[in-house]
Amino acid sequence: MQLRVAFASSDRVVIDQHFGAASAFAIHEIGLDTSRLIEVAQFIETAMDGHEGKLDAKIALLDGCAAVFSEAVGASAIQRLLSKGVQPVKVENGTTIDSVIAMLQGELKDGPTGWLAKAVTRGTPKAAERFASMEEEGWSE
């Protein structure tokens, strides 16, 4: 089980950006005992002026992510993220990406709850789909 999670970060270490004005996102793939940085996307500087068009590229980038962690996120961005299946999560300034990854891994091991449980369920193929996929790969009884 691997989850893709994005972090609004200017340095790939600390979560220090507002979602709408973020200059960069670091996307990690997180498993029970592993995590790896899989993508870094940088954006031109944008003011927090309520212009919805600036969100399109950021929301498109997060396709397939279970969550995005940032210092803050506006109401319209929250609605758009949730409609795409991406959970926005607000953290305090100075929160490190590594600490959030450790927290998520701990929750995955202990039995996820809330949005994380839903993300895990969404990412787990149903039995019929899984067996069909295995058959396509050449597996047989």
Side-chain angles (χ1 to χ4, degrees), residues 2-3 6 8 18 25-26 35 38 42 45 50-51 53 55 63 66 76 78 94 103 112 119 122-124 130 141:
Q2 300 287 318
L3 292 176
H18 182 287
F25 287 96
S35 71
I38 58 171
Q42 294 187 310
E45 192 172 321
H51 178 60
L55 298 177
D63 187 41
S76 65
I78 289 171
M103 181 268 306
R122 271 195 313 268
T124 304
R130 186 175 74 236
E141 293 183 42

Side-chain angles (χ1 to χ4, degrees), residues 67-136:
V68 59
F69 288 78
S70 64
E71 280 189 341
V73 60
S76 65
I78 289 171
Q79 291 174 349
R80 291 180 64 188
L81 288 164
L82 290 173
S83 74
K84 296 287 187 185
V86 180
Q87 178 68 46
V89 182
K90 181 181 172 184
V91 297
E92 292 184 27
N93 187 329
T95 301
T96 65
I97 291 172
D98 285 346
S99 70
V100 172
I101 289 172
M103 181 268 306
L104 290 171
Q105 288 175 322
E107 189 171 344
L108 286 171
K109 288 176 186 173
D110 294 341
T113 60
W115 70 265
L116 188 55
K118 289 178 186 176
V120 168
T121 301
R122 271 195 313 268
T124 304
K126 294 182 175 84
E129 294 171 5
R130 186 175 74 236
F131 293 129
S133 174
M134 289 171 66
E135 186 176 352
E136 288 173 9

Side-chain angles (χ1 to χ4, degrees), residues 18-68:
H18 182 287
F19 176 79
S23 62
F25 287 96
I27 300 176
H28 287 253
E29 191 171 73
I30 302 170
L32 288 173
D33 297 311
T34 62
S35 71
R36 67 185 180 105
L37 177 66
I38 58 171
E39 185 175 358
V40 175
Q42 294 187 310
F43 296 91
I44 60 170
E45 192 172 321
T46 57
M48 290 185 286
D49 58 4
H51 178 60
E52 296 302 312
K54 70 180 177 192
L55 298 177
D56 293 342
K58 291 175 182 171
I59 291 172
L61 170 75
L62 302 179
D63 187 41
C65 287
V68 59

